Amino acid sequence: MKYGLLTFLLLPTLSFAEPDYPPPVNWPVLIDRVTYASPGTLQTLLDKLFPLRSTLDEEHKNELNRALTLALVKSPATTLDALSEIDLYSISEDNAFMRSFTTHAVCRLPQVRYYDKASITRYYQQATQVVSASSHKNSQRCLHIMEKAMNDLNVDDTHSGIAWGTEEYYVTAPGTQVPDNWPTLIEQVTRSNPETLKTLPEKVFSFGLTLDGGHTSQLNNALRFSLLKATSQTLDVLSMIDNHDIGENTSLIQRFNTESVCSPSLGFLYDKPSVLRYYQQVSQALKNSKHKNSQHCLWLMRETMEEFDYEAQRGTMKWGTRFYPEPGTAVPDSWPTYITQLTRADPEAIKALPEAVFITGPVLSYEQLVEFHIAASMALMKAPAQTLDALTIIDAYSGDDPRIIQHFDTDTICGIPAAMDHTKASVIRYYRHTRQALEKTSRQNTQQCLWMLNASMEEIMADAARSNSKWGTLTYPAP
């Protein structure tokens, strides 16, 4: 999602009341998301199954087992990760329920009870192809189990010992029917392009069921971000999908309807502060919307956030690493104003420092990065407590672009960046004022910052003395 520079506010942390009981699991939706290899669902499958172990009968177990075999051909690595986690639990706890979903149980072709002989052959050919190409540590084990199971089936069939099922399985390799303009489509949906949204239901009905878990998640997330900019238009799209009559094929509706999009799985992709930022923004957009489905969507959002909160309190919530809002593609027009405000240590500009780093940092030129560093250094000298708080957020980031941390973490900003671009007297003055300010400040990274400041100053002076380096002409402003 492409944003302008700043809201100048990091949104406040939200808290949710602990529910009296675990949020209910929507079984058909869970099965559908496993079938189509939803990354977030597979990554937390063990946590979702644990509270259900006393409620699922054999039919439910078989249904989930079959969903996992189908997920295996769409996303072998993610599915094998989920099975490996269940393997460990079933062994350590000697849990008979979980043994229905282990690597051995899923890879031994149990679908024979559902599919006809031709379908089992098609599935086996596709599954062995994708599993053998996988570099997952369990891929060869799964492949061996599958090959042995197929050999046994062939022997039994020769002796007329198999009662084949009646359902048909069609080979739909992951991504084979993803439109050629997929990246453009996702970007246009994310930006709430009116023409794209208008034609999206028709596009979804044409290729929706052929998408693998990764592409399904991309489109779902694009629709979730579209809710922020074009709430009514996006809810119209979801309503058309809700009401589309596709007979018994309800899985398409469950993948892209109001319930799916308004029950965000962002927590599995983004870090916790990012999810809370998104939730507060989209909640406000839904509250302001007069669309007939806005309140229902808002209710689903709240239910999902309560589930996240419940899982977090249990210690089983696995947050992602990405940062929201997403990095920008161009330096915003308001950038010079922001740099001026940060240099003056404006409180709102300092609060917005992490957002400025994550959104605009990746697209800055070298000269702009130097200017940004100097502004952050001035903020540290004038308002050390607030700046250290902002740097703590940056330190904790573990997302897709670690270079951002290296540019603006505590070690870098406290290390007097761009010192040699300034005059010697200016650097010494900056060092003394900043050290004095830090010595009066108590934050979790104060001592780390002080150590870096002192060490950097010693190194700067030693290098200048050894190499007779020329100092720059810039001057740090006085505090």
Side-chain angles (χ1 to χ4, degrees):
M1 191 168 187
K2 312 302 184 295
Y3 269 49
L5 170 59
L6 301 164
T7 59
F8 285 131
L9 279 173
L10 283 178
L11 299 176
T13 301
L14 306 180
S15 61
F16 304 95
E18 181 179 0
D20 296 329
Y21 52 87
V25 174
N26 189 325
W27 183 254
V29 174
L30 176 65
I31 290 298
D32 183 69
R33 290 178 178 173
V34 171
T35 300
Y36 291 98
S38 167
T41 300
L42 289 174
Q43 288 166 10
T44 59
L45 185 60
L46 180 60
D47 296 333
K48 292 181 183 301
L49 289 179
F50 187 79
L52 299 176
R53 60 193 186 281
S54 62
T55 64
L56 298 184
D57 56 21
E58 284 302 311
E59 184 176 349
H60 286 106
K61 293 178 185 178
N62 293 337
E63 189 177 17
L64 179 57
N65 187 293
R66 179 170 55 163
L68 285 165
T69 62
L70 299 179
L72 189 63
V73 298
K74 293 179 172 61
S75 183
T78 308
T79 306
L80 288 170
D81 273 343
L83 299 181
S84 298
E85 193 172 16
I86 292 173
D87 289 344
L88 292 175
Y89 180 82
S90 65
I91 294 172
S92 62
E93 300 294 330
D94 192 24
N95 192 288
F97 168 74
M98 290 298 180
R99 282 198 289 273
S100 301
F101 317 113
T102 60
T103 301
H104 183 272
V106 171
C107 294
R108 64 180 178 83
L109 301 174
Q111 319 92 309
V112 67
R113 74 186 73 185
Y114 300 103
Y115 293 108
D116 61 27
K117 181 178 179 180
S119 292
I120 286 293
T121 302
R122 283 194 295 271
Y123 171 83
Y124 173 75
Q125 291 172 343
Q126 184 183 8
T128 52
Q129 181 180 0
V130 297
V131 172
S132 61
S134 171
S135 59
H136 192 277
K137 61 182 179 180
N138 267 4
S139 59
Q140 292 306 307
R141 175 173 171 240
C142 180
L143 186 64
H144 174 74
I145 293 170
M146 198 175 292
E147 290 173 342
K148 185 177 185 305
M150 194 63 183
N151 288 335
D152 291 344
L153 286 176
N154 289 331
V155 171
D156 290 345
D157 190 48
T158 301
H159 296 86
S160 301
I162 292 183
W164 296 99
T166 58
E167 292 191 26
E168 295 184 2
Y169 170 81
Y170 296 99
V171 177
T172 53
T176 53
Q177 296 189 42
V178 173
D180 293 335
N181 67 335
W182 180 258
T184 302
L185 175 67
I186 292 300
E187 182 176 3
Q188 289 174 341
V189 172
T190 302
R191 290 182 173 182
S192 307
N193 178 276
E195 293 303 315
T196 303
L197 290 178
K198 188 181 299 183
T199 59
L200 187 61
E202 183 179 349
K203 289 185 173 71
V204 166
F205 299 142
S206 68
F207 61 69
L209 281 175
T210 69
L211 300 179
D212 60 9
H215 288 97
T216 298
S217 295
Q218 282 183 350
L219 183 52
N220 263 309
N221 284 337
L223 285 165
R224 289 170 186 134
F225 291 133
S226 180
L227 273 173
L228 290 168
K229 285 191 171 183
T231 308
S232 293
Q233 293 91 324
T234 307
L235 289 173
D236 279 340
V237 171
L238 301 181
S239 295
M240 292 181 68
I241 297 174
D242 290 342
N243 298 317
H244 184 62
D245 183 12
I246 53 175
E248 296 179 357
N249 202 353
T250 58
S251 57
L252 176 62
I253 292 178
Q254 292 171 348
R255 299 178 83 190
F256 299 105
N257 63 357
T258 301
E259 182 167 341
S260 177
V261 174
C262 294
S263 303
S265 58
L266 292 175
F268 305 118
L269 295 174
Y270 292 82
D271 59 25
K272 184 177 180 180
S274 295
V275 173
L276 296 176
R277 275 193 290 275
Y278 168 81
Y279 173 70
Q280 183 163 0
Q281 291 177 7
V282 76
S283 295
Q284 192 60 49
L286 290 168
K287 288 176 184 177
N288 294 336
S289 171
K290 296 182 180 179
H291 194 279
K292 62 180 180 180
N293 276 0
S294 58
Q295 292 307 305
H296 177 56
C297 184
L298 181 59
W299 181 83
L300 290 169
M301 289 274 180
R302 288 171 175 166
E303 288 285 298
T304 303
M305 294 304 293
E306 286 181 1
E307 182 175 351
F308 283 168
D309 190 51
Y310 174 79
E311 295 293 336
Q313 291 179 28
R314 289 179 59 202
T316 56
M317 182 63 198
K318 298 177 181 178
W319 297 100
T321 59
R322 295 177 64 180
F323 183 89
Y324 169 79
E326 300 284 4
T329 57
V331 179
D333 294 337
S334 58
W335 186 249
T337 301
Y338 175 69
I339 290 298
T340 299
Q341 292 173 336
L342 184 62
T343 301
R344 294 174 179 170
D346 179 86
E348 298 304 322
I350 296 175
K351 284 183 182 179
L353 180 59
E355 274 195 51
V357 168
F358 294 129
I359 299 172
T360 308
V363 296
L364 293 177
S365 66
Y366 173 77
E367 292 76 12
Q368 289 168 325
L369 277 173
V370 172
E371 185 181 44
F372 194 6
H373 278 140
I374 295 171
S377 298
M378 292 307 305
L380 179 67
M381 179 178 68
K382 296 177 180 180
Q386 280 186 293
T387 306
L388 288 175
D389 287 341
L391 295 179
T392 300
I393 297 173
I394 298 169
D395 291 342
Y397 179 65
S398 58
D400 302 326
D401 191 356
R403 293 171 300 173
I404 294 299
I405 297 179
Q406 296 166 2
H407 280 315
F408 291 97
D409 62 1
T410 297
D411 286 349
T412 302
I413 299 302
C414 295
I416 320 181
M420 297 309 296
D421 293 335
H422 294 71
T423 65
K424 181 178 180 180
S426 176
V427 172
I428 293 173
R429 184 177 66 245
Y430 170 81
Y431 165 72
R432 288 175 177 170
H433 284 297
T434 305
R435 186 188 65 189
Q436 292 170 2
L438 286 171
E439 288 173 346
K440 300 175 184 177
T441 304
S442 177
R443 287 294 189 273
Q444 69 179 67
N445 51 344
T446 298
Q447 293 306 312
Q448 176 189 355
C449 187
L450 265 172
W451 188 91
M452 282 303 304
L453 183 75
N454 292 327
S456 298
M457 189 61 182
E458 289 178 6
E459 185 175 348
I460 289 167
M461 298 304 290
D463 285 347
R466 278 196 303 268
S467 59
N468 198 25
S469 299
K470 292 184 179 180
W471 294 86
T473 58
L474 298 178
T475 303
Y476 280 112

